[in-house]
Amino acid sequence: MDSTDLNFFAAVAMAGGIGRAANDLHTVQSNVTQRIRALEAQLGVQLFHRSKKGVTLTSMGNRLLPYAKRISELLAEAQRAVKDEASPSGELRIGSMETTAALRLPPLLTHYAIAYPDVDVQIETGPTASLVDAVLSRKLDGAFVSAPVTHGELACKPIVEEELVLITPPMVTSTEHLNKFLATGSGRKVIVFRAGCSYRQRLSEYLAHRGFVDLRWMEMGTLDGIIGCVAASVGLSLVPHVVAEPAARQGLIRIHPLPNATGRATTLFVHRKDAFVSSALRALIECAGSISSANIPATTAAVNAASPPRKTTSPLSRPSR
């Protein structure tokens, strides 16, 4: 079995057709056909169902595909390992939660870019669940995600601990007001990032534990959008305290700490245990501790400097049932 044949097989499987795979592989269609037939003859099984519309994998083809992908990944990884030098260089694919990317990564990336100018860092943002899947499938070299992550194939390094707080419009000052605010028929929503976000899961559990059920959810793609909607009395959300504080100082929202330290959330950096750790990735992991220091964007710092402190916190006790 030839690695090139397996690479051609995987390309056809992903493209769904010989012609499309030939374009992806920058070769002629007859070459792809010949490779696939040779592989089928060697294995003694049919790997594809062929039709005028294209090809689909047989059961044996589906069984072979994960191995073909893994061999391709191992060959690429071996090439990176051989070419890796003491001085970090090349491409680094990193994932991050939206909140970490907005608040914590700028100082890290600034320092890293100055120290290692030959590394091209690509950042992909998303919820924890999708980032973990991307690292496991080797689409990302590593990712900043929210704990806990217990997958046995991942190495996890604690990076920073955040305090998550419930945010509401300023008029919600107590549990009684929260009950009225979320009353059935009020049209209020729970404003969150898309499914898979660990903060979303925490908020869902918090509200359910306190008797709030059958709530309506609204997904937003940015922190600014979430805070803006809360300030406009569209609903409530759960965000890091450092994100909420500037708007709270302006009186736009109210911050409610979660009881019994349940708002503490640890950000981890995860990567595959069995993957080659390049000098570029190793340097990033070593630098990652720098994001634990407070980092408030310039616009937020300006708000804090211009706005006098205002008492806007009030812990919410468990509502009566």
Side-chain angles (χ1 to χ4, degrees), residues 20 55 72 80 85 90 95 105 122 124 126 155 169 200 212 234 242 258 295 313-314 317:
R20 291 189 289 274
V55 298
S72 177
R80 290 197 300 271
E85 300 178 356
L105 287 193
Q122 297 181 5
E124 176 181 320
R200 174 176 179 158
F212 297 108
V234 175
V242 68
L258 300 186
N295 170 50
T313 61
S314 61
S317 59

PDB file of all heavy atoms in Angstrom, residues 20 55 72 80 85 90 95 105 122 124 126 155 169 200 212 234 242 258 295 313-314 317:
ATOM      1  N   ARG A  20     -13.069  16.270  -9.649  1.00  0.00           N
ATOM      2  CA  ARG A  20     -12.851  17.300  -8.630  1.00  0.00           C
ATOM      3  C   ARG A  20     -11.582  17.005  -7.828  1.00  0.00           C
ATOM      4  O   ARG A  20     -10.830  17.910  -7.470  1.00  0.00           O
ATOM      5  CB  ARG A  20     -14.071  17.393  -7.707  1.00  0.00           C
ATOM      6  CG  ARG A  20     -15.306  17.965  -8.380  1.00  0.00           C
ATOM      7  CD  ARG A  20     -16.418  18.234  -7.376  1.00  0.00           C
ATOM      8  NE  ARG A  20     -17.003  16.985  -6.882  1.00  0.00           N
ATOM      9  CZ  ARG A  20     -17.980  16.329  -7.480  1.00  0.00           C
ATOM     10  NH1 ARG A  20     -18.480  16.786  -8.632  1.00  0.00           N
ATOM     11  NH2 ARG A  20     -18.477  15.213  -6.971  1.00  0.00           N
ATOM     12  N   VAL A  55     -18.836   9.680  -7.133  1.00  0.00           N
ATOM     13  CA  VAL A  55     -18.527   8.458  -6.407  1.00  0.00           C
ATOM     14  C   VAL A  55     -18.914   8.621  -4.940  1.00  0.00           C
ATOM     15  O   VAL A  55     -18.908   9.723  -4.391  1.00  0.00           O
ATOM     16  CB  VAL A  55     -17.018   8.118  -6.498  1.00  0.00           C
ATOM     17  CG1 VAL A  55     -16.610   7.863  -7.943  1.00  0.00           C
ATOM     18  CG2 VAL A  55     -16.164   9.210  -5.875  1.00  0.00           C
ATOM     19  N   SER A  72      -1.767  10.482   6.223  1.00  0.00           N
ATOM     20  CA  SER A  72      -1.445  11.762   5.596  1.00  0.00           C
ATOM     21  C   SER A  72      -1.023  12.791   6.642  1.00  0.00           C
ATOM     22  O   SER A  72      -0.064  13.553   6.453  1.00  0.00           O
ATOM     23  CB  SER A  72      -2.650  12.268   4.800  1.00  0.00           C
ATOM     24  OG  SER A  72      -2.387  13.528   4.233  1.00  0.00           O
ATOM     25  N   ARG A  80       7.135  18.400   9.145  1.00  0.00           N
ATOM     26  CA  ARG A  80       7.292  19.582   9.997  1.00  0.00           C
ATOM     27  C   ARG A  80       8.365  19.339  11.061  1.00  0.00           C
ATOM     28  O   ARG A  80       9.138  20.234  11.395  1.00  0.00           O
ATOM     29  CB  ARG A  80       5.958  19.936  10.674  1.00  0.00           C
ATOM     30  CG  ARG A  80       4.900  20.482   9.731  1.00  0.00           C
ATOM     31  CD  ARG A  80       3.791  21.198  10.502  1.00  0.00           C
ATOM     32  NE  ARG A  80       3.126  20.309  11.440  1.00  0.00           N
ATOM     33  CZ  ARG A  80       2.081  19.565  11.145  1.00  0.00           C
ATOM     34  NH1 ARG A  80       1.598  19.575   9.910  1.00  0.00           N
ATOM     35  NH2 ARG A  80       1.508  18.789  12.055  1.00  0.00           N
ATOM     36  N   GLU A  85      13.133  24.059  13.341  1.00  0.00           N
ATOM     37  CA  GLU A  85      14.412  24.583  13.786  1.00  0.00           C
ATOM     38  C   GLU A  85      14.290  25.142  15.198  1.00  0.00           C
ATOM     39  O   GLU A  85      13.194  25.346  15.710  1.00  0.00           O
ATOM     40  CB  GLU A  85      14.899  25.671  12.821  1.00  0.00           C
ATOM     41  CG  GLU A  85      15.093  25.168  11.390  1.00  0.00           C
ATOM     42  CD  GLU A  85      15.536  26.279  10.459  1.00  0.00           C
ATOM     43  OE1 GLU A  85      15.607  27.429  10.908  1.00  0.00           O
ATOM     44  OE2 GLU A  85      15.789  25.977   9.280  1.00  0.00           O
ATOM     45  N   GLY A  90       7.386  29.414  10.585  1.00  0.00           N
ATOM     46  CA  GLY A  90       6.322  28.665   9.932  1.00  0.00           C
ATOM     47  C   GLY A  90       4.936  29.095  10.381  1.00  0.00           C
ATOM     48  O   GLY A  90       4.746  30.175  10.947  1.00  0.00           O
ATOM     49  N   GLY A  95      -6.727  28.140  18.083  1.00  0.00           N
ATOM     50  CA  GLY A  95      -8.133  28.463  18.317  1.00  0.00           C
ATOM     51  C   GLY A  95      -8.297  29.207  19.628  1.00  0.00           C
ATOM     52  O   GLY A  95      -7.457  29.107  20.529  1.00  0.00           O
ATOM     53  N   LEU A 105      -5.784  37.764  24.392  1.00  0.00           N
ATOM     54  CA  LEU A 105      -4.776  37.439  23.396  1.00  0.00           C
ATOM     55  C   LEU A 105      -3.953  38.616  22.886  1.00  0.00           C
ATOM     56  O   LEU A 105      -2.783  38.428  22.537  1.00  0.00           O
ATOM     57  CB  LEU A 105      -5.424  36.729  22.198  1.00  0.00           C
ATOM     58  CG  LEU A 105      -5.866  35.282  22.418  1.00  0.00           C
ATOM     59  CD1 LEU A 105      -6.186  34.623  21.084  1.00  0.00           C
ATOM     60  CD2 LEU A 105      -4.820  34.473  23.157  1.00  0.00           C
ATOM     61  N   GLN A 122      -2.307  31.979  12.883  1.00  0.00           N
ATOM     62  CA  GLN A 122      -3.688  32.075  12.417  1.00  0.00           C
ATOM     63  C   GLN A 122      -4.607  31.794  13.594  1.00  0.00           C
ATOM     64  O   GLN A 122      -4.460  30.777  14.265  1.00  0.00           O
ATOM     65  CB  GLN A 122      -3.945  31.079  11.287  1.00  0.00           C
ATOM     66  CG  GLN A 122      -3.119  31.315  10.035  1.00  0.00           C
ATOM     67  CD  GLN A 122      -3.428  30.323   8.936  1.00  0.00           C
ATOM     68  OE1 GLN A 122      -4.335  29.501   9.053  1.00  0.00           O
ATOM     69  NE2 GLN A 122      -2.671  30.389   7.861  1.00  0.00           N
ATOM     70  N   GLU A 124      -8.449  31.184  15.033  1.00  0.00           N
ATOM     71  CA  GLU A 124      -9.835  30.821  14.726  1.00  0.00           C
ATOM     72  C   GLU A 124     -10.634  30.879  16.016  1.00  0.00           C
ATOM     73  O   GLU A 124     -10.275  30.239  17.002  1.00  0.00           O
ATOM     74  CB  GLU A 124      -9.903  29.416  14.135  1.00  0.00           C
ATOM     75  CG  GLU A 124     -11.321  28.925  13.865  1.00  0.00           C
ATOM     76  CD  GLU A 124     -11.356  27.518  13.298  1.00  0.00           C
ATOM     77  OE1 GLU A 124     -10.491  27.194  12.457  1.00  0.00           O
ATOM     78  OE2 GLU A 124     -12.250  26.738  13.702  1.00  0.00           O
ATOM     79  N   GLY A 126     -14.201  30.482  18.336  1.00  0.00           N
ATOM     80  CA  GLY A 126     -15.377  29.623  18.390  1.00  0.00           C
ATOM     81  C   GLY A 126     -15.657  29.200  19.814  1.00  0.00           C
ATOM     82  O   GLY A 126     -14.888  29.505  20.736  1.00  0.00           O
ATOM     83  N   ALA A 155      -3.512  17.356  26.112  1.00  0.00           N
ATOM     84  CA  ALA A 155      -2.741  17.938  27.212  1.00  0.00           C
ATOM     85  C   ALA A 155      -3.343  19.303  27.524  1.00  0.00           C
ATOM     86  O   ALA A 155      -3.648  20.073  26.605  1.00  0.00           O
ATOM     87  CB  ALA A 155      -1.280  18.088  26.805  1.00  0.00           C
ATOM     88  N   PRO A 169     -30.152  44.635  32.860  1.00  0.00           N
ATOM     89  CA  PRO A 169     -30.359  46.090  32.816  1.00  0.00           C
ATOM     90  C   PRO A 169     -30.298  46.657  34.238  1.00  0.00           C
ATOM     91  O   PRO A 169     -30.510  45.926  35.215  1.00  0.00           O
ATOM     92  CB  PRO A 169     -31.762  46.227  32.212  1.00  0.00           C
ATOM     93  CG  PRO A 169     -31.987  44.955  31.469  1.00  0.00           C
ATOM     94  CD  PRO A 169     -31.281  43.896  32.260  1.00  0.00           C
ATOM     95  N   ARG A 200     -22.336  29.705  28.058  1.00  0.00           N
ATOM     96  CA  ARG A 200     -23.759  29.469  27.800  1.00  0.00           C
ATOM     97  C   ARG A 200     -24.267  28.303  28.649  1.00  0.00           C
ATOM     98  O   ARG A 200     -25.351  28.378  29.233  1.00  0.00           O
ATOM     99  CB  ARG A 200     -23.962  29.183  26.316  1.00  0.00           C
ATOM    100  CG  ARG A 200     -25.376  28.776  25.924  1.00  0.00           C
ATOM    101  CD  ARG A 200     -25.484  28.615  24.426  1.00  0.00           C
ATOM    102  NE  ARG A 200     -26.810  28.202  23.994  1.00  0.00           N
ATOM    103  CZ  ARG A 200     -27.292  28.388  22.780  1.00  0.00           C
ATOM    104  NH1 ARG A 200     -26.554  28.978  21.867  1.00  0.00           N
ATOM    105  NH2 ARG A 200     -28.501  27.990  22.472  1.00  0.00           N
ATOM    106  N   PHE A 212     -35.766  28.971  36.779  1.00  0.00           N
ATOM    107  CA  PHE A 212     -36.133  29.645  35.532  1.00  0.00           C
ATOM    108  C   PHE A 212     -36.059  28.639  34.383  1.00  0.00           C
ATOM    109  O   PHE A 212     -34.977  28.179  34.015  1.00  0.00           O
ATOM    110  CB  PHE A 212     -35.199  30.824  35.251  1.00  0.00           C
ATOM    111  CG  PHE A 212     -35.276  31.907  36.296  1.00  0.00           C
ATOM    112  CD1 PHE A 212     -34.233  32.100  37.185  1.00  0.00           C
ATOM    113  CD2 PHE A 212     -36.392  32.724  36.396  1.00  0.00           C
ATOM    114  CE1 PHE A 212     -34.287  33.092  38.155  1.00  0.00           C
ATOM    115  CE2 PHE A 212     -36.455  33.721  37.359  1.00  0.00           C
ATOM    116  CZ  PHE A 212     -35.411  33.905  38.235  1.00  0.00           C
ATOM    117  N   VAL A 234     -33.107  43.904  26.421  1.00  0.00           N
ATOM    118  CA  VAL A 234     -33.551  42.757  25.628  1.00  0.00           C
ATOM    119  C   VAL A 234     -33.509  41.492  26.475  1.00  0.00           C
ATOM    120  O   VAL A 234     -34.324  40.592  26.312  1.00  0.00           O
ATOM    121  CB  VAL A 234     -32.664  42.594  24.378  1.00  0.00           C
ATOM    122  CG1 VAL A 234     -33.029  41.325  23.607  1.00  0.00           C
ATOM    123  CG2 VAL A 234     -32.802  43.816  23.475  1.00  0.00           C
ATOM    124  N   VAL A 242     -14.432  41.513  33.805  1.00  0.00           N
ATOM    125  CA  VAL A 242     -13.647  42.554  33.162  1.00  0.00           C
ATOM    126  C   VAL A 242     -14.356  43.106  31.927  1.00  0.00           C
ATOM    127  O   VAL A 242     -14.162  44.266  31.552  1.00  0.00           O
ATOM    128  CB  VAL A 242     -12.245  42.029  32.791  1.00  0.00           C
ATOM    129  CG1 VAL A 242     -12.306  40.975  31.693  1.00  0.00           C
ATOM    130  CG2 VAL A 242     -11.311  43.163  32.393  1.00  0.00           C
ATOM    131  N   LEU A 258     -22.065  35.772  41.030  1.00  0.00           N
ATOM    132  CA  LEU A 258     -22.674  34.483  41.294  1.00  0.00           C
ATOM    133  C   LEU A 258     -22.283  34.020  42.700  1.00  0.00           C
ATOM    134  O   LEU A 258     -21.175  34.301  43.166  1.00  0.00           O
ATOM    135  CB  LEU A 258     -22.231  33.453  40.261  1.00  0.00           C
ATOM    136  CG  LEU A 258     -22.586  33.778  38.804  1.00  0.00           C
ATOM    137  CD1 LEU A 258     -22.215  32.604  37.903  1.00  0.00           C
ATOM    138  CD2 LEU A 258     -24.055  34.106  38.654  1.00  0.00           C
ATOM    139  N   ASN A 295      -5.871  42.624  31.263  1.00  0.00           N
ATOM    140  CA  ASN A 295      -5.712  43.291  29.972  1.00  0.00           C
ATOM    141  C   ASN A 295      -7.049  43.844  29.556  1.00  0.00           C
ATOM    142  O   ASN A 295      -7.943  43.106  29.193  1.00  0.00           O
ATOM    143  CB  ASN A 295      -5.217  42.310  28.902  1.00  0.00           C
ATOM    144  CG  ASN A 295      -5.291  42.920  27.515  1.00  0.00           C
ATOM    145  OD1 ASN A 295      -4.821  44.027  27.313  1.00  0.00           O
ATOM    146  ND2 ASN A 295      -5.906  42.219  26.586  1.00  0.00           N
ATOM    147  N   THR A 313     -23.251  46.509  41.805  1.00  0.00           N
ATOM    148  CA  THR A 313     -23.292  45.067  42.036  1.00  0.00           C
ATOM    149  C   THR A 313     -24.273  44.725  43.123  1.00  0.00           C
ATOM    150  O   THR A 313     -24.430  45.432  44.114  1.00  0.00           O
ATOM    151  CB  THR A 313     -21.914  44.555  42.458  1.00  0.00           C
ATOM    152  OG1 THR A 313     -21.531  45.198  43.669  1.00  0.00           O
ATOM    153  CG2 THR A 313     -20.868  44.853  41.381  1.00  0.00           C
ATOM    154  N   SER A 314     -24.987  43.599  42.910  1.00  0.00           N
ATOM    155  CA  SER A 314     -25.918  43.124  43.933  1.00  0.00           C
ATOM    156  C   SER A 314     -26.102  41.634  43.746  1.00  0.00           C
ATOM    157  O   SER A 314     -26.670  41.214  42.755  1.00  0.00           O
ATOM    158  CB  SER A 314     -27.270  43.839  43.827  1.00  0.00           C
ATOM    159  OG  SER A 314     -27.861  43.582  42.581  1.00  0.00           O
ATOM    160  N   SER A 317     -29.849  36.203  45.325  1.00  0.00           N
ATOM    161  CA  SER A 317     -30.079  34.997  46.096  1.00  0.00           C
ATOM    162  C   SER A 317     -31.030  34.087  45.348  1.00  0.00           C
ATOM    163  O   SER A 317     -31.653  34.499  44.362  1.00  0.00           O
ATOM    164  CB  SER A 317     -30.684  35.353  47.458  1.00  0.00           C
ATOM    165  OG  SER A 317     -31.910  36.048  47.284  1.00  0.00           O
TER     166      SER A 317
END
